[in-house]
Structures are given as C-alpha cells and as structure tokens.
Amino acid sequence: MKDFKNRVVVITGAGSGMGRAYAVEFARLGARLALNDYDADGLAETVGLVEGAAPAVVSKVFDVGDKATMNSFADEVKAELGDAHIIINNAGVGGGGKPVWLNSDDDYERTMQINFFGVVYGTRAFLPQLLRNGEGAVVNVSSVFGLVGTPNTSDYCAAKFAVRGFTESLMVELQTSAISVHLVHPGGVRTNIAKGVEGGEEFTAKYLKTDPADVVRQVIRGIRSGKQRIVCGHNSFKLWLTSWSLPLEKRNRLLHGELKALMDPEHYDILKGPKA
C-alpha cells in the first residue's frame, strides 16, 4: 500500500509517544483515523492535534487487553468510517522492572495481557475488515527486547518475543494475500514507556533518545515498500546484530556488562548465597 489518502488507519496507544506520532503523520497523509488509548486526557490531546488535518477521526478510551471492548471498537470503526485498511497495534506498558524472583504474578499477567494479547485482539478484530477491503497492512510493534533478553524485563521481553512469533506466523499465513504484515522492533525511542517502572528515569535518560516521528516515518516507508521487519531507533541496529551474530553465552555476558549499572544491587543480593 502506497497511498493513504482516505484510507482508514487504526492506531492503539495513540495518546502519547509513537502512537501520537503515527496519528499526526497519517493525518498529514490524508488518512481517516480510529484512535485508542487508556489515558483519556492523552487521547483527547492527540485528537485535538489531528482533527484539523485528518478527514475524519473517531476515538475510544479502553484497555487493549479487553477483548470484548476491542471487538466492539472494530464494529464502531466499521459503522463510522468503513472497513479498516491498516491496524497499528502500538499500545504497550513497560512491565514490572524487577528480576524474575521479585516480579509478581500480577506483573507478568498485566504485561502479557496488554503487550501481547492486546496485539492479538487488535489483529483479530480488524483483520476481517482488511480482508474485505482486499488490501491493507497489519503493523505489530515488538521491541529490540523482542530480539534479546535483558535483565529486569523478563515480563516485557516475554511479551515482545511473543508478538514477534505471532506476527512472523501471520506473515507466512498471509504470504499470498494482498495484506502486508510488518513487525517493528523499535530501539531507544523517546516515549514514556518506562514511566513508573523502577529505574525507569535512568533508563530513559541513557537509552531513549530517538524522536518518535523518525520511527514512524521509517515504518510508513516500510509499509509502502512491503518491508516485513523494521528495526529502527537508538541502538536498534547494534542489538539486532548482537541478536544473531554472537553465541548466546557471549551475548549474555555483553548485555550484563552493558546494563549492570541499572541493576539494583539489593535485588541481586540473593545471588551471593546465604549469609553466615
């Protein structure tokens, strides 16, 4: 798909960061927008930014991990704008931010429900609309942490690896269709994804440097060209190269050394064994 004028583009997590940047860019390209976010104020702000540019805008505040509401959103989009042409499953949360033994079951369940099942629900709710149109694109946002495992992010990495597996399977299933499928692995993009996560401020300052609009433009170029894997953002190429070029043992040592400064020593005292 190369022309987005009057195409219906659905964007989850549109209240800030990359989701907002997708909305602004697709509005500039003349698309009709269906926007979601859990943050009502953030979503309203995004709607205010794009209403003058996009031919039509609908929005709905809900948690993408709620399957029934995602399905009803798809029905509302069809009723108000027509069948969707592009679904961008962008919404996500940062995870628990602790090592495996300190994360709670709730951390894992919440992160998987939003970051993985939100992608599954969004894809499955809107894919029939793309198929009815006979053209379209599914854009699922993983992460560079869907390429390598990193400390204090086991719930986040698990979800983003799952998005990768789900999306790569979908690519093969739709290989002979007119629907293109794109898997995005953003690196350090300047968003609020780490807000509220333990150590998030330090992580944000050190690693989240790329303007979201730069990533969005690369994704749009990928949709136009049919590129299936899109790796972009600060340090993304280095992590992608590391993910396949190094033996696992060497890769893990390298990642531990790179990220050790962000690992709270108190969280890792248990590794020293019982105290005398």
Side-chain angles (χ1 to χ4, degrees):
M1 180 178 291
K2 300 185 185 298
D3 182 13
F4 305 110
K5 189 173 183 180
N6 284 318
R7 298 296 199 271
V8 177
V9 179
V10 182
I11 304 164
T12 68
S16 64
M18 284 195 299
R20 177 173 289 173
Y22 281 117
V24 169
E25 190 64 18
F26 276 109
R28 187 184 68 79
L29 295 171
R32 293 175 288 160
L33 301 178
L35 307 178
N36 146 269
D37 204 279
Y38 186 71
D39 176 6
D41 291 340
L43 184 59
E45 188 174 340
T46 300
V47 170
L49 289 172
V50 301
E51 275 186 322
V57 182
V58 299
S59 63
K60 189 179 182 74
V61 177
F62 69 96
D63 183 341
V64 295
D66 184 332
K67 178 172 62 174
T69 308
M70 180 68 80
N71 289 336
S72 69
F73 181 51
D75 292 339
E76 291 166 22
V77 170
K78 176 175 172 54
E80 296 189 43
L81 299 178
D83 283 332
H85 296 84
I86 298 173
I87 169 66
I88 300 176
N89 290 302
N90 165 78
V93 294
K98 296 183 179 71
V100 169
W101 53 91
L102 292 179
N103 271 341
S104 68
D105 290 345
D106 286 345
D107 289 327
Y108 286 101
E109 290 167 8
R110 174 176 178 268
T111 303
M112 290 298 294
Q113 194 64 32
I114 296 170
N115 290 5
F116 174 60
F117 283 104
V119 171
V120 173
Y121 297 157
T123 300
R124 285 172 51 80
F126 286 97
L127 184 57
Q129 297 186 18
L130 274 61
L131 292 169
R132 282 196 296 269
N133 274 326
E135 64 172 350
V138 176
V139 179
N140 289 342
V141 179
S142 177
S143 167
V144 288
F145 290 176
L147 297 171
V148 298
T150 53
N152 298 339
T153 59
S154 58
D155 54 342
Y156 186 82
C157 288
K160 294 303 187 177
F161 268 82
V163 168
R164 175 183 172 184
F166 171 77
T167 306
E168 289 183 2
S169 290
L170 184 65
M171 288 173 180
V172 179
E173 292 169 350
L174 294 177
Q175 186 67 34
T176 60
S177 79
I179 310 302
S180 62
V181 182
H182 310 271
L183 177 60
V184 186
H185 293 281
V189 184
R190 197 165 57 246
T191 70
N192 62 4
I193 188 68
K195 184 178 180 181
V197 176
E198 189 166 332
E201 290 185 10
E202 186 179 355
F203 180 84
T204 297
K206 187 172 182 178
Y207 292 108
L208 304 190
K209 298 181 180 296
T210 301
D211 189 323
D214 292 342
V215 172
V216 165
R217 294 186 189 111
Q218 288 191 60
V219 172
I220 289 174
R221 288 197 294 271
I223 295 171
R224 283 179 162 148
S225 68
K227 187 174 184 179
Q228 292 186 318
R229 188 186 309 281
I230 302 168
V231 181
C232 49
H234 181 65
N235 276 343
S236 61
F237 180 78
K238 181 170 75 172
L239 281 172
W240 172 74
L241 188 64
T242 299
S243 74
W244 62 264
S245 64
L246 294 180
L248 185 58
E249 295 81 3
K250 186 172 182 179
R251 186 181 87 189
N252 289 340
R253 288 195 298 271
L254 182 129
L255 289 169
H256 182 272
E258 170 68 24
L259 297 168
K260 186 176 181 179
L262 299 178
M263 299 162 66
D264 187 337
E266 292 185 4
H267 291 169
Y268 289 83
D269 277 348
I270 192 173
L271 303 184
K272 298 175 183 178
K275 295 180 180 179

